[in-house]
Amino acid sequence: MVLSLEGKVALVTGASQGIGRACAIALGRAGAKVAVAARNEIKLQEVVNEIAGNGGDAKSFVLDVASEESIKSTAKAVIAHFGSVHILVNNAGITRDTLLLRMRRADWDDVINTNLTGAFLLTQAVISSMMKARWGRIINISSVVGEAGQAGQANYAASKAGLIGFTKSLARELASRNVTANAVAPGYIETAMTAVLDEKQRGAMLGQIPLNRPGTDEDIANAVRFLASDEAAYITGHVLDVNGGMYM
Ligand code: NDP
């Protein structure tokens, strides 16, 4: 069964590669019009071309989620082009890993600004569009690390745990407008973000995964597409672990 998102407009951040790219393509395949947003225009255009190649409708928007100005102008541009935003996937994220004692203020600020404050500002910029439509889906990409913690990632874990509290609060605030808010918490997914791990670290990760394989960006995109669909209409304030059993 293909979950139909015909007539819906999705905005995906960090859509130039990895999980965001896979989400944009999956939502496009399900029939949504897709605004693909990130900083790298060339990569965004490739994603747009892929969605168009599948018969979908997509447009790229250059967006820096660490900049309030960029968020506001992009939200306006997306709504001007597509008329509305029904599905928002806050996926853009970065890491600046180091132990607490060595963590610079800038390492903390960069991660919180991009991963958490960016999601807050962009959600705020598009929410009236969802409320007006009396239909909306906010899907925040958190992490297993936001649930379990991780040495060397105090900044990143705080941002991802923050997204979970943010998601649950939105779920309560927006339910009466038929807008749901959920988080997806990926485990160890093979993308550019995790390509920096060496063989030893990779082995240690795999050792913690009962399903005995790393996740793929499509594993995450499948969960996001489900949460965006009408089939997930009664699910809100949920954190969906997509982690092969790594944390339960
Ligand atoms: P990648 O590093 O492959 O992709 C990150 C994406 O975020 C890129 O498209 C990048 O695009 C975008 N991005 C980064 N900074 C900004 C910014 N300031 N403004 C706009 N876009 C930005 O990572 P993944 O695909 O692996 O990660 C996607 C999300 O999933 C992240 O939030 C990550 O924390 C989360 N996650 C990943 C896991 C994994 O194992 N891979 C596990 C758990 C969670 P560009 O450079 O073009 O701006």
Side-chain angles (χ1 to χ4, degrees):
M1 179 189 61
V2 174
L3 306 166
S4 178
L5 295 174
E6 295 286 337
K8 300 295 194 298
V9 176
L11 167 55
V12 183
T13 70
S16 56
Q17 64 182 45
I19 290 170
R21 173 182 174 277
C23 289
I25 290 169
L27 293 169
R29 272 192 201 280
K33 294 174 182 160
V34 192
V36 296
R39 293 166 302 180
N40 187 320
E41 204 170 358
I42 294 168
K43 285 193 191 170
L44 287 175
Q45 197 49 49
E46 287 168 11
V47 179
V48 166
N49 293 345
E50 187 158 349
I51 294 172
N54 296 334
D57 183 358
K59 182 170 167 46
S60 67
F61 294 86
V62 173
L63 165 69
D64 179 358
V65 297
S67 153
E68 183 162 0
E69 216 184 302
S70 172
I71 287 176
K72 284 185 177 157
S73 62
T74 301
K76 260 194 205 149
V78 172
I79 291 169
H81 182 79
F82 284 120
S84 190
V85 173
H86 304 102
I87 300 160
L88 172 63
V89 183
N90 284 311
N91 163 80
I94 57 167
T95 53
R96 295 278 184 274
D97 297 354
T98 189
L99 294 173
L100 178 72
L101 274 176
R102 287 195 211 120
M103 192 171 284
R104 295 171 307 139
R105 174 66 193 256
D107 298 326
W108 175 269
D109 286 344
D110 287 354
V111 169
I112 298 291
N113 286 342
T114 300
N115 298 7
L116 184 57
T117 310
F120 154 65
L121 290 170
L122 185 58
T123 306
Q124 201 173 45
V126 302
I127 196 60
S128 49
S129 171
M130 293 187 200
M131 288 163 78
K132 228 181 279 166
R134 297 245 161 206
W135 196 100
R137 299 281 188 267
I138 298 160
I139 301 164
N140 295 318
I141 306 301
S142 178
S143 168
V144 62
V145 166
E147 300 174 292
Q150 177 79 338
Q153 292 198 306
N155 49 359
Y156 181 78
S159 74
K160 295 298 183 178
L163 277 177
I164 292 175
F166 177 59
T167 303
K168 291 183 178 182
S169 301
L170 294 184
R172 291 183 187 277
E173 272 188 43
L174 300 168
S176 64
R177 309 300 178 102
N178 197 33
V179 175
T180 67
N182 292 289
V184 172
Y188 169 48
I189 312 300
E190 281 192 328
T191 66
M193 185 175 271
T194 49
V196 296
L197 298 180
D198 60 31
E199 269 313 300
K200 200 174 151 208
Q201 291 168 314
R202 188 172 184 274
M205 283 285 184
L206 284 176
Q208 297 173 47
I209 303 173
L211 281 174
N212 203 29
R213 69 165 175 89
T216 66
D217 48 18
E218 281 186 8
D219 288 322
I220 307 305
N222 288 338
V224 166
R225 186 184 46 196
F226 167 64
L227 288 172
S229 73
D230 276 325
E231 281 75 4
Y234 202 55
I235 301 174
T236 196
H238 185 69
V239 182
L240 181 51
D241 290 330
V242 186
N243 63 21
M246 188 180 193
Y247 177 83
M248 50 178 103

